[in-house]
Amino acid sequence: MPETQHSPAIEVEGLVKEYEYHHKEPGLRGSLRSLLRRETLHKRAVDNISFQIQPGEVVGFLGPNGAGKTTTLKVLCALLYPTSGSVSVLGHVPSRREASYLRSIALVMGQKNMLWWDIPAMETLLLHKEMYRIPEREFRTTVDELSEMLEVGHLLRVQVRKLSLGERMKMELLAALVHAPDVLFLDEPTIGLDVVSQARVREFLKGLNAQQGTTILLTSHYMDDIEALCPRVMLIDMGRIGYDGPLASLVERTSPHKLVSAVYAEPVPRDELLNAIGSLPVQPTDDPLKVSLAVPRDQVAEVASRLLRAGRIADLSIEEPPVEEVIREVFGKAAGERGVS
Amino acid sequence: MLRYVRLWWRFAIMSLVREAEYRVSFAVSVLVGIISLAIAVLTYGVLYGYTEDVEGWSRAEVLMVLGCFRVAESLIELLVARNMWNIAEHIREGDMDYVLVRPVSSQFLASLRVVNPSEGVNALVGLGLVVYAGNMAGVEWSLERVAAALVFGICGLILLYSVWCLAVTFGFWFQSGPLESVLFWLIDTGRYPVTFFKGWVRLFLMFIFPVAFASTFPAQALRGEINPRLLLAGILMASLSLVGTNRFWNYGVRHYSSASS
Ligand SMILES: Nc1ncnc2c1ncn2[C@@H]1O[C@H](COP(=O)(O)OP(=O)(O)OP(=O)(O)O)[C@@H](O)[C@H]1O
Ligand SMILES: [Mg+2]
């Protein structure tokens, strides 16, 4: 079924995924007992979530450990059979596992290897060429293009086990993308990479989305990834979506303060300063000439002008609080509701 | 179909490239194969030290059965064994993820992607034994006999593959079972003509765990005993079991629970 121009690339409605597992008691006796009488338990990893993603969107999945992010991705990739709810990607129902569907998506998991360890990555690429039925010409140009973007052309014929973690991750991305998928699912693609490699991967994904219009759904625990790549984020916790929208509004909603900082050129009289600060909470700074205040959004202008008047100013800045902090706050709240400290 | 042959060829090349790294282990596995075959041949020597005929099989003919068995066993090792040993673990550890996401039969990928090239040599040695023992037994190598032996052999391989595949598919429900290793030991019964066994054991080896199709029946066909009904039964059983295992596999895949990572 070809998708029409305006239908969403991904449509999820009331998705539930429960895992079955067995309670194992510790020790030999416990093992024997559970052999005889196995209690089947259910873990609801994804609990009735719904969302839509339009073609060409880049969406970030945010959530604490065990939130259900990976589970959702695996359902979308047809690895897991949904317990209930409906899922449609590019007009296909993933769980039917049609070859035409699997050909149009790609999955990269930062914690798993798709490349064969003992042989050069090129061999795996050739395997993908066969599996995805990529014509020779197309294959050559795609590999050239991607390896140039990722700067790994010279490593294609080196055994995978001799590559560094960052190089290997880039190679995994290359292998996942040789068949030019329409939708790309990424599960923590930058895990364990250094800051420079992380930035490279981000840049690459950004370029991919801009040039090919690839729809991307990614999870990451690195806020830099999310900030740089995802205009839209979905917050998931305990299998439910708590927020779905632009990252900026999430920050605004969660943290009604902005950070106003002033650096003075010379020490300011104590009274003047206290007057300017009023009852606002002061953030610790390491510079005796610097004052940082968390200011409610509607008082920012007024407070800034009071600070300006208090002394000879060298620098004044008004910032959003760091995203990391906001997310920590959101997750902390969620954990608090769960009764976890 | 052709596509799957090409795909398998890629697997073979990849496995060879990898194996070239480990030339010593390649040589060792060939050596082990030859030694174990030599021991088996000697065992028969002892058995036939006292008699010329066991259950209607002469010494040379029994060696033919052994040769056929070696060819079948080596081909199983060459094509599927390494994969089958790993499937249960792959299911448990969630390593099926990258198999199930490909637009190719996941059963094909999971059961045939790792090729063990060194076993090719052992298969050739086995074939050599068949020819040598056949000549000793005075076999006429007519087209009809060879073709029938081939059909039996192929059916036998498919049947053994199916039984094994069926066993590992249970891994989607029960994380792992002892079933696979039992099967692996059972296959050794194929060294002997199936007529050495009596009653239900013989029926078991012909129709439930049909190793007889891979060793005894091809040897019988070469001897000139071609039972058309048995041949037909083999073809039917092989086709049905291929369809059956595939259905069962695809049903099992729905119960794959991956692993948290
Ligand atoms: N195969 C499985 N069997 C049983 N329970 C599982 C399985 N996989 C995941 N779970 C459980 O389901 C929940 C969601 O797991 P999931 O892997 O989707 O979380 P996640 O959001 O990806 O977390 P993380 O950030 O740690 O990767 C967890 O509580 C986990 O324990
Ligand atoms: Mg995860």
Side-chain angles (χ1 to χ4, degrees):
Chain A
M1 250 185 292
E3 76 200 276
T4 53
Q5 199 69 44
H6 295 292
S7 63
I10 303 177
E11 213 171 353
V12 173
E13 187 62 51
L15 175 67
V16 174
K17 176 65 192 178
E18 273 179 4
Y19 290 107
E20 252 180 35
Y21 66 101
H22 301 283
H23 202 73
K24 289 243 165 65
E25 286 170 44
L28 185 61
R29 266 182 84 164
S31 297
L32 288 177
R33 189 171 324 147
S34 51
L35 249 185
L36 296 174
R37 195 160 39 86
R38 277 216 304 191
E39 198 185 346
T40 304
L41 301 167
H42 295 268
K43 160 85 198 178
R44 194 169 266 230
V46 173
D47 187 6
N48 191 13
I49 67 175
S50 307
F51 59 87
Q52 290 191 349
I53 294 176
Q54 303 303 323
E57 260 193 296
V58 183
V59 178
F61 236 156
L62 277 177
N65 291 133
K69 306 180 295 290
T70 302
T71 305
T72 308
L73 286 194
K74 284 178 177 170
V75 171
L76 292 174
C77 290
L79 301 182
L80 296 177
Y81 200 81
T83 306
S84 67
S86 73
V87 180
S88 153
V89 184
L90 301 170
H92 295 269
V93 177
S95 58
R96 292 203 188 123
R97 303 184 41 75
E98 292 153 319
S100 57
Y101 172 61
L102 296 171
R103 246 199 306 280
S104 56
I105 62 162
L107 167 69
V108 177
M109 288 176 286
Q111 328 226 28
K112 289 187 178 164
N113 304 316
M114 72 175 82
L115 300 168
W116 285 35
W117 194 246
D118 287 319
I119 59 179
M122 193 61 195
E123 299 288 342
T124 305
L125 297 186
L126 287 168
L127 175 66
H128 283 204
K129 171 173 177 265
E130 212 63 68
M131 285 199 292
Y132 290 94
R133 296 201 244 183
I134 310 167
E136 181 71 33
R137 284 260 301 278
E138 208 180 307
F139 177 75
R140 292 283 157 217
T141 46
T142 316
V143 171
D144 285 350
E145 236 175 72
L146 291 175
S147 57
E148 191 172 318
M149 280 167 85
L150 288 160
E151 301 168 333
V152 291
H154 60 297
L155 299 171
L156 282 169
R157 303 195 181 269
V158 177
Q159 282 159 342
V160 172
R161 68 178 145 88
K162 294 186 179 157
L163 301 180
S164 77
L165 185 62
E167 292 166 343
R168 209 173 67 225
M169 198 56 229
K170 290 189 211 163
M171 218 47 113
E172 294 262 332
L173 277 169
L174 206 174
L177 292 168
V178 274
H179 64 286
D182 297 324
V183 179
L184 173 60
F185 298 101
L186 297 160
D187 194 18
E188 306 189 33
T190 52
I191 192 162
L193 303 191
D194 67 31
V195 187
V196 179
S197 305
Q198 274 185 25
R200 280 276 156 69
V201 169
R202 281 200 287 272
E203 235 163 72
F204 168 74
L205 293 174
K206 217 168 188 164
L208 185 79
N209 171 257
Q211 285 168 30
Q212 328 269 341
T214 312
T215 309
I216 300 178
L217 178 56
L218 95 160
T219 80
S220 176
H221 288 295
Y222 298 112
M223 287 318 300
D224 290 345
D225 287 350
I226 305 287
E227 263 189 286
L229 281 171
C230 310
R232 171 180 167 198
V233 300
M234 286 192 277
L235 209 70
I236 179 168
D237 189 36
M238 296 177 75
R240 293 184 188 190
I241 292 184
Y243 173 84
D244 181 350
L247 186 61
S249 330
L250 176 66
V251 172
E252 228 165 84
R253 204 185 68 168
T254 321
S255 167
H257 299 276
K258 278 195 170 188
L259 206 61
V260 179
S261 312
V263 181
Y264 292 97
E266 56 196 20
V268 182
R270 204 180 142 76
D271 285 352
E272 302 263 333
L273 196 58
L274 281 179
N275 189 27
I277 291 171
S279 60
L280 293 168
V282 181
Q283 309 285 314
T285 62
D286 39 14
D287 183 349
L289 290 175
K290 182 175 176 184
V291 199
S292 256
L293 304 171
V295 183
R297 287 174 191 276
D298 54 349
Q299 297 174 30
V300 167
E302 193 195 320
V303 171
S305 71
R306 282 208 311 256
L307 284 173
L308 275 173
R309 272 184 271 119
R312 206 154 71 80
I313 209 123
D315 185 23
L316 182 85
S317 66
I318 302 170
E319 291 162 25
E320 291 287 353
V323 180
E324 302 269 0
E325 216 160 84
V326 175
I327 297 301
R328 215 174 303 137
E329 202 167 309
V330 176
F331 288 176
K333 253 185 223 156
E337 280 158 20
R338 243 181 294 165
V340 186
S341 64
Chain B
M1 187 64 198
L2 181 67
R3 180 158 163 256
Y4 279 89
V5 173
R6 290 176 51 149
L7 200 51
W8 184 82
W9 187 238
R10 275 266 14 119
F11 286 138
I13 291 173
M14 288 170 82
S15 300
L16 258 174
V17 172
R18 175 157 69 183
E19 217 68 12
E21 284 274 301
Y22 305 103
R23 257 166 273 173
V24 177
S25 84
F26 188 100
V28 166
S29 106
V30 170
L31 209 63
V32 167
I34 291 175
I35 290 173
S36 77
L37 187 63
I39 291 176
V41 170
L42 289 178
T43 316
Y44 290 150
V46 175
L47 180 66
Y48 280 87
Y50 307 99
T51 169
E52 266 310 299
D53 183 290
V54 180
E55 298 284 334
W57 291 82
S58 75
R59 177 184 167 151
E61 287 166 345
V62 164
L63 285 184
M64 257 165 66
V65 174
L66 179 65
C68 291
F69 170 73
R70 270 310 282 171
V71 174
E73 192 190 32
S74 305
L75 287 178
I76 293 252
E77 292 275 350
L78 174 84
L79 297 168
V80 295
R82 281 193 182 175
N83 301 284
M84 293 297 187
W85 284 115
N86 290 330
I87 284 179
E89 191 187 325
H90 285 329
I91 292 176
R92 197 168 47 245
E93 318 245 304
D95 287 333
M96 282 307 236
D97 291 358
Y98 278 139
V99 168
L100 291 173
V101 82
R102 305 288 170 223
V104 188
S105 157
S106 55
Q107 183 191 359
F108 173 85
L109 274 190
S111 62
L112 290 159
R113 69 184 151 154
V114 178
V115 181
N116 184 355
S118 62
E119 289 293 337
V121 180
N122 289 333
L124 287 179
V125 172
L127 198 62
L129 181 61
V130 174
V131 173
Y132 171 77
N135 284 335
M136 221 162 67
V139 164
E140 294 170 35
W141 304 97
S142 72
L143 182 68
E144 192 195 6
R145 288 182 184 190
V146 173
L150 270 179
V151 174
F152 271 123
I154 290 169
C155 290
L157 284 177
I158 291 175
L159 287 166
L160 288 175
Y161 165 82
S162 300
V163 173
W164 209 350
C165 199
L166 219 61
V168 296
T169 306
F170 280 105
F172 284 117
W173 287 272
F174 315 101
Q175 302 304 337
S176 123
L179 213 54
E180 299 117 68
S181 27
V182 173
L183 288 181
F184 189 74
W185 295 117
L186 265 183
I187 199 175
D188 259 1
T189 52
R191 287 174 190 283
Y192 312 100
V194 74
T195 42
F196 282 18
F197 301 93
K198 298 281 166 277
W200 66 267
V201 179
R202 188 192 297 182
L203 285 180
F204 178 81
L205 293 178
M206 283 168 72
F207 298 110
I208 307 293
F209 183 77
V211 69
F213 277 92
S215 64
T216 307
F217 297 161
Q220 270 177 344
L222 288 177
R223 228 166 50 157
E225 298 162 35
I226 303 172
N227 179 345
R229 267 202 224 151
L230 197 60
L231 201 58
L232 203 66
I235 294 169
L236 260 173
M237 278 163 65
S239 327
L240 280 179
S241 70
L242 267 190
V243 175
T245 43
N246 187 247
R247 287 258 175 99
F248 187 51
W249 175 272
N250 286 338
Y251 181 62
V253 163
R254 287 180 166 214
H255 291 265
Y256 177 61
S257 65
S258 191
S260 200
S261 62

